[in-house]
Amino acid sequence: MFAAVLAGFGSGPSCTSGPAVPLGAAPGDADDLLVVDCLLPPQIRALGQRVTYLAARRAVKTSAADCRAAGGEYVAHARANQASALAVWLPLAKQGDATAQHYVGEIFEKGLGLPPDYRAAAHWYALAAEQGYAPSQLNLGSLAERGLGVERDPAAAQRWYARAAGLGDDGVAFRAAEAPHASAEDARAHAERERRIDELERALAAARAELERAAAARDELERAAATRDEELERAAAARDARRDDDDARADELDARDRALREERADLAREKEAIAEERAELARANATERAERARANERERAELARAKERERAELARSRDALGEERDAVERARAELAAARAELANERDAIDAARRALAEANDAAASAGERDRQRADGELAERRRALESAERQVERARAETARASAELAQREASLARSERERAESDAALDALRAQVDRLRTELGAATEERERAASAAAAVAPADVELAGPSIHLIDPPIPLQRGVAVTPAASDAGARLVVARVDAPAGLLAVTVNEREVEPTARGVVRARVDVPPGGLDVRIVAIDERGQRAQRELRFGAPEATRAPARAPAARPALDFGTYHALVIGNEAYRHLPRLQTAGEDARAIARVLADRYGFEVELALDASRYEILSKLNALRARLTERDNLVVYYAGHGELDRANMRGHWLPIDAEPDSSANWISNVAITDVLNAMAAKHVLVIADSCYSGSLTRSSLARLEAGSTPQARLAWQRAMLGKRSRTALTSGGLQPVLDAGGGAHSIFARALLDVLERNEEVLEGQAIHQELAARVVWAAEDVRFEQTPQYAPIRFAGHEAGEFFFVPRGGSAQLDAQAGGRAVAGEIAVAEEALVLGEGHPPAR
C-alpha cells in the first residue's frame, strides 16, 4: 500500500512520450525555496546585569533560504536522510515536545533512505497522541488500520480517527473506508510473509541489543566527557569572571585616569584664565595711569590758565586795589580750597594704587596655593594608579595560571574525544549490520504493506462502514438536499437517468422506481423512464451488503401548480469560515515535452469560478517554471495565517518515479530524462506542512495524480439534521486540514473529453457552478467522481478521481469548505450550457475515436 500523499503528482512515460527536445538549464536557486529541517542558532539571554547565557536551540521547518538567513543549520533537501533529520528533532522529542515527537515518528515511517521502522514510528506517534496532538492521532490510527508496527485493529483505528477529529460523543458518525476481501491463498501468503518478518525482526532485535550495549559504553564515555566538559566550563566561567573583574578594575582605572586628565586640563584652563586676568589688570592699571596723567596735565593746564587770569585780573585790579582786596582774598580762599581738593584727589589715587598692588599680590598668592593643591592631588592619584596597575599585574598572573590549567583540561578532553571516536567506529560497524537487516526487513515489510488490504478479512462488525451514497449525473441538477426538480422544457417522453452508487460495504442491489438495475463495475447505473405529460416521480434506492440503504428522489415534468418553488440559496451557518485564496497553475506549452490541449483553459476557467462564485483571491500562473511554482508557494507560506483557506490547483504533465512510487509535477521547463526541474510531491508536502493556513486543498489534474491510501475521513451521514450538520462543520473548521482531490489514481488521465476542458476539469466546473450550499471537499469529490467515471466509461477509459488526506503535511482531520457567495442565474445558465456542450463533445469524440480515447496527460 502506498503512503498517503499529495494528489496530482506524477505521470509515466506514456504521458510524456514524444520527440526529444534540446535540454535547457534550470534556475540554480530554486532549491533554496524547498523546505528543510532547520536548527536555529541559540539566542543570547541575560540573567541580571552581568550574567549572559545561551538558550537552547530551536528547530523549525522553513525554506533553505530563510534558514540560511537566520544563521541556522540544515542539510540540503536533496541530501537529507534519516540521520540528519533525527539530529534536528530527536533531542526535542526526548524532552517531551509533541510536535518534535510527531516529526520523529514521520521520519521513522518515511525511512528517508532506510526501510521504514513502523514500530518506532508507532512509539513516537503514541507519545504525541497521548498529549492530544491530532496529526499523530491520525497517523497512529492509520498504522492500526493497516497493521504496521502495531497489531491490525480497525476498531482502535476508528477511535484514534475520532479523537483526532474531535467527534467523540457529539452524535456525529465517523466512517472508515472500504475494507477489501481476501482469499485463502492470499491469507497463507500473508502468514508466510509475517513469519519471515518475525525472523528478521528477531535478528534485528539481537543486533539492536548489541548496538544498545555498545551505545551504553559510549554513553558512559560521553558522561565522563560531559563531566570533564562541565569542569572545563566551570573553569572557563571562573576565568571569564576573573577577566570580567580585571576588565572592571581596568575600566575603573581608565575612568580615574580620564578624570585626572580632565582635572589637569581644568587646572591648565584656570591658570590660563588667571594669566588673562593678570594681563587684563595690567592693561587696566596702565589705562588708569594714563588717564590720571592726562587728568594731572589737564589740571596743571587749568591752573596755569587760572594763574594767568589771576595776573590779568590783578593787573586790572591794581588800580582798584582797594576796592577789590576783598575779592582777591576771596579768590585766594577759593584757590586754597581747590588746592586742598587736588591734594585729596592725589591721596585717593595713591590709595587706589596701593589697593591695586595689594590685590595683584593676593591674586598671585591664591594662584600659587591652587597650583600647589592640584599638584598634591595629582601626586596622590598617581600613587593610586600605580597601586591599581600592580593589582592588574597580579590578576594577569592569575589568568595565566588559569589558562595553563585550562590547556591541561583541553588535552584531557582531546584524549576523551579519541576514545569516543574509537567507540563510534565500533558502533558504525554494528550500525552497518543493523542497516543490512533493516534493508531486508524493509523489503518484507513493504511487501506486507502492499498485501495488507488483500490479506485482511472483512472489517469486524464493531467497525462501522459508511452506508451507500447516490450521486446523480443525468439529468444535471444543482446540488441540494431533498427532491430535485428538472426543467419543464425537456421533461416529456423517454428520459435517461444516470447515477453513480458508492457502497464501501459492498453493493447488494440498486432499483429505479422499484425496478432493479445492474450497475457497471465502476458503480454507474443507467435507467430509461417514460415521462407522461403529467410528470413522473423517480426514486433511486441502493442497498449494501450490510443492509444499509440510501435513497435519491427527483421529479420530471411537475405541473406548474404543483411544481416546487425555486429553491432560495441555503442560509449560511453562523460559522467563521475565514478568508479564501487560490494558486491556479495551468501548464500547457511545454518546452521539452508534448504540448497539452486544455490545461491552460482549465486553469483560467477554474480561476474565474473560484473568484466570481466563491470570492477567492486568485493568483493565476500559466506555463510556470519550477522556480515560479516554488516561489509562489513560498510566498503564500510566508503570507497566509490561521484564518486563511488555500486551494492549489494544478493542470499539467506529471511523472511517477516507480522506484520509490514518488510522484512529481512537471513544470514548463521540465526535461523528459532529467528530474532536475521536476517538483516532487515530498517537496510540496513539506511546503504545505510548514504553512500556517488552517485548511489547504490541492486539486490536481495530471497523469498518475494519486498515490493515496484509503480515505479515512470523518463523514457526515446522508439525511443528517441541520443541527448535526452544523456541529460537524464546526468540528471540522476547528481542525487543520491538508487534503488532495485528484483526477485519477496511479494511471494516466485524459487531457480532453470535456469539450474545451479535460473530463476532470469539466466535471469540477459543473459541480462548483451548480452548487448553492456550503459544500465540503468530500461532497465535491463524490459528485465530480460520478461524472468523471461516467464520461470516461463512455470513451472506454478508466479514470476514477480520488480524495484523501495528504500524508506528512500536518493534517488534523479537518475539512475544506466551499462557501458560495449566493445563487447566480447567470452562472447556473453557463453551467447548464457547459454541461450540454460537454456531453455533445464527449459523444463526438467517442464517435471519432472509436475504440481509442483522448490523449493522456
Side-chain angles (χ1 to χ4, degrees):
M1 180 182 293
F2 304 125
V5 144
L6 191 61
F9 299 43
S11 163
S14 64
C15 293
T16 58
S17 59
V21 182
L23 304 182
D29 55 355
D31 288 343
D32 285 346
L33 303 175
L34 299 177
V35 172
V36 296
D37 296 314
C38 176
L39 195 59
L40 296 176
Q43 296 178 337
I44 299 177
R45 297 182 180 178
L47 183 62
Q49 296 183 349
R50 301 187 62 183
V51 178
T52 59
Y53 66 97
L54 294 179
R57 307 187 72 175
R58 188 163 57 93
V60 296
K61 284 185 178 290
T62 187
S63 67
D66 290 347
C67 183
R68 189 165 58 250
E73 297 178 12
Y74 68 95
V75 176
H77 187 276
R79 296 192 294 273
N81 54 32
Q82 188 179 94
S84 65
L86 287 176
V88 175
W89 297 108
L90 189 57
L92 292 175
K94 290 181 177 179
Q95 296 173 15
D97 185 279
T99 302
Q101 290 169 347
H102 174 76
Y103 285 146
V104 170
E106 285 189 347
I107 291 167
F108 282 115
E109 185 176 358
K110 292 176 183 178
L112 296 180
L114 298 174
D117 188 343
Y118 294 108
R119 287 188 175 179
H123 166 73
W124 288 104
Y125 285 150
L127 293 178
E130 291 299 336
Q131 297 188 58
Y133 196 68
S136 287
Q137 293 171 341
L138 278 176
N139 288 3
L140 191 59
S142 176
L143 294 181
E145 184 180 5
R146 294 177 289 160
L148 299 176
V150 295
E151 184 178 354
R152 184 177 181 274
D153 189 345
Q158 275 202 123
R159 289 193 295 271
W160 281 118
Y161 291 148
R163 286 180 62 179
L167 303 177
D169 300 322
D170 58 2
V172 180
F174 186 91
R175 298 291 182 265
E178 179 180 2
H181 299 269
S183 64
E185 183 178 353
D186 289 338
R188 287 192 296 272
H190 177 71
E192 177 60 27
R193 282 192 295 271
E194 291 292 332
R195 185 190 62 79
R196 177 59 179 159
I197 288 173
D198 289 340
E199 292 177 356
L200 291 172
E201 287 179 343
R202 285 194 294 272
L204 181 60
R208 280 178 174 166
E210 181 64 26
L211 182 62
E212 288 174 358
R213 287 193 293 272
R218 187 190 64 175
D219 291 342
E220 184 63 30
L221 288 175
E222 289 180 346
R223 282 193 294 272
T227 301
R228 287 192 293 271
D229 289 343
E230 291 176 358
E231 294 176 354
L232 192 60
E233 289 175 358
R234 286 195 295 270
R239 180 191 62 186
D240 292 340
R242 286 194 296 272
R243 285 179 177 174
D244 291 341
D245 292 340
D246 293 344
D247 292 341
R249 286 195 293 271
D251 292 341
E252 183 178 357
L253 291 176
D254 290 340
R256 291 180 179 178
D257 189 48
R258 285 193 299 272
L260 184 58
R261 286 196 297 271
E262 290 174 358
E263 290 181 0
R264 286 176 176 173
D266 292 341
L267 183 60
R269 286 192 293 271
E270 289 177 1
K271 288 181 178 180
E272 291 176 358
I274 291 172
E276 290 177 358
E277 290 178 359
R278 287 177 177 175
E280 183 65 25
L281 184 59
R283 288 193 295 272
N285 290 337
T287 302
E288 185 177 359
R289 285 194 294 273
E291 286 294 332
R292 293 191 179 279
R294 286 193 294 273
N296 291 336
E297 288 295 329
R298 285 193 299 271
E299 289 176 357
R300 285 195 292 271
E302 183 66 26
L303 182 61
R305 286 192 295 273
K307 287 180 178 180
E308 288 296 329
R309 285 194 299 271
E310 288 177 359
R311 289 190 188 101
E313 184 65 25
L314 182 62
R316 287 190 301 270
S317 300
R318 282 177 179 173
D319 294 336
L321 180 61
E323 298 175 357
E324 294 182 358
R325 280 182 179 175
D326 295 335
V328 171
E329 288 298 330
R330 289 194 298 272
R332 286 178 177 174
E334 291 176 359
L335 179 61
R339 286 177 177 172
E341 183 179 355
L342 178 61
N344 291 335
E345 288 180 0
R346 286 177 178 172
D347 292 338
I349 290 172
D350 293 338
R353 286 176 178 172
R354 287 193 298 272
L356 180 61
E358 291 174 357
N360 289 339
D361 294 340
S365 177
E368 183 63 24
R369 287 196 299 273
D370 290 343
R371 184 184 64 77
Q372 291 176 355
R373 184 171 61 256
D375 290 343
E377 292 178 357
L378 179 61
E380 180 65 25
R381 289 172 182 173
R382 282 176 178 169
R383 287 193 294 273
L385 179 61
E386 291 172 356
S387 176
E389 288 176 349
R390 287 194 295 273
Q391 292 178 3
V392 170
E393 289 298 329
R394 287 195 296 272
R396 286 175 178 169
E398 293 176 1
T399 301
R401 288 194 296 273
S403 298
E405 183 180 355
L406 181 62
Q408 293 175 356
R409 293 184 178 180
E410 287 176 346
S412 176
L413 180 61
R415 288 193 297 273
S416 299
E417 290 294 339
R418 287 194 296 272
E419 294 173 359
R420 185 185 303 177
E422 294 172 358
S423 175
D424 288 343
L427 287 175
D428 289 340
L430 288 173
R431 286 195 184 101
Q433 180 182 358
V434 171
D435 290 343
R436 286 193 297 272
L437 290 172
R438 278 183 176 171
T439 302
E440 189 174 356
L441 176 61
T445 303
E446 288 177 0
E447 184 179 358
R448 177 177 68 176
E449 182 183 356
R450 288 192 297 270
S453 296
V458 177
D462 60 343
V463 178
E464 189 176 6
L465 295 177
S469 58
I470 303 171
H471 311 288
L472 194 62
I473 300 172
D474 191 21
I477 298 174
L479 300 182
Q480 60 187 43
R481 292 187 290 273
V483 178
V485 179
T486 65
S490 59
D491 285 347
R495 290 302 309 268
L496 178 67
V497 176
V498 182
R500 182 169 184 254
V501 180
D502 288 329
L507 185 60
L508 179 64
V510 180
T511 62
V512 178
N513 282 357
E514 300 182 355
R515 179 168 57 88
E516 188 170 351
V517 180
E518 184 68 24
T520 68
R522 313 300 295 173
V524 176
V525 296
R526 294 177 174 86
R528 289 196 174 275
V529 296
D530 292 324
V531 181
L536 177 69
D537 290 334
V538 177
R539 184 174 62 179
I540 307 171
V541 178
I543 303 174
D544 67 9
E545 296 285 354
R546 292 190 172 186
Q548 302 176 103
R549 61 183 281 142
Q551 180 173 306
R552 187 75 182 269
E553 297 178 359
L554 65 149
R555 181 178 299 130
F556 284 102
E560 291 298 329
T562 61
R563 184 183 299 275
R567 190 172 186 271
R572 300 287 185 262
L575 298 175
D576 183 7
F577 289 90
T579 57
Y580 283 80
H581 306 263
L583 172 61
V584 179
I585 304 167
N587 283 349
E588 186 173 288
Y590 280 86
R591 303 171 189 170
H592 313 299
L593 301 173
R595 182 186 181 94
L596 295 176
Q597 300 177 16
T598 65
E601 184 57 33
D602 291 348
R604 283 187 283 268
I606 293 295
R608 282 195 298 270
V609 73
L610 291 179
D612 296 342
R613 183 142 189 139
Y614 293 90
F616 277 69
E617 179 184 327
V618 179
E619 182 173 4
L620 178 62
L622 298 176
D623 295 335
S625 66
R626 178 174 185 260
Y627 180 82
E628 291 169 341
I629 293 174
L630 290 176
S631 63
K632 291 180 184 301
L633 285 172
N634 270 275
L636 289 168
R637 177 182 64 83
R639 179 163 56 93
L640 298 187
T641 68
E642 290 186 354
R643 277 190 45 79
D644 293 316
N645 304 271
L646 172 65
V647 164
V648 179
Y649 176 88
Y650 173 76
H653 275 306
E655 181 65 51
L656 182 66
D657 181 356
R658 296 186 180 276
N660 54 25
M661 300 308 295
R662 179 178 298 174
H664 298 79
W665 287 353
L666 300 189
I668 202 67
D669 52 351
E671 300 163 354
D673 299 321
S674 171
S675 62
N677 285 347
W678 301 359
I679 301 178
S680 164
N681 55 6
V682 173
I684 296 181
T685 296
D686 289 343
V687 173
L688 299 183
N689 187 27
M691 193 174 287
K694 194 64 169 288
H695 302 109
V696 179
L697 171 63
V698 175
I699 304 176
D701 187 7
S702 66
C703 284
Y704 304 100
S705 60
S707 49
L708 305 172
T709 62
R710 298 156 65 185
S711 302
S712 299
L713 295 164
R715 297 177 59 183
L716 188 67
E717 287 296 334
S720 298
T721 65
Q723 293 79 6
R725 183 175 182 81
L726 183 60
W728 181 78
Q729 288 179 346
R730 183 177 292 108
M732 295 299 99
L733 284 175
K735 297 287 186 178
R736 273 167 57 105
S737 70
R738 297 291 187 271
T739 51
L741 175 60
T742 70
S743 58
L746 294 175
Q747 68 275 337
V749 296
L750 299 180
D751 181 40
H757 302 288
S758 71
I759 285 179
F760 176 81
R762 182 174 64 82
L764 178 60
L765 288 167
D766 186 38
V767 171
L768 291 177
E769 289 176 336
R770 291 180 179 277
N771 174 48
E772 297 176 352
E773 301 180 346
V774 175
L775 199 64
E776 63 271 15
Q778 295 179 63
I780 294 279
H781 164 252
Q782 292 164 358
E783 293 294 335
L784 74 85
R787 291 163 170 76
V788 171
V789 168
W790 176 58
E793 281 188 349
D794 274 0
V795 294
R796 298 176 178 84
F797 192 81
E798 183 177 322
Q799 179 175 338
T800 305
Q802 299 184 14
Y803 183 73
I806 302 172
R807 292 292 303 280
F808 309 125
H811 182 69
E812 293 182 357
E815 250 294 13
F816 194 96
F817 292 93
F818 287 85
V819 184
R821 287 177 167 175
S824 170
Q826 181 181 1
L827 288 177
D828 289 342
Q830 292 175 354
R834 183 190 303 279
V836 173
E839 293 166 7
I840 294 172
V842 170
E844 290 175 347
E845 289 172 357
L847 290 174
V848 172
L849 294 170
E851 296 298 322
H853 52 75
R857 287 188 177 179

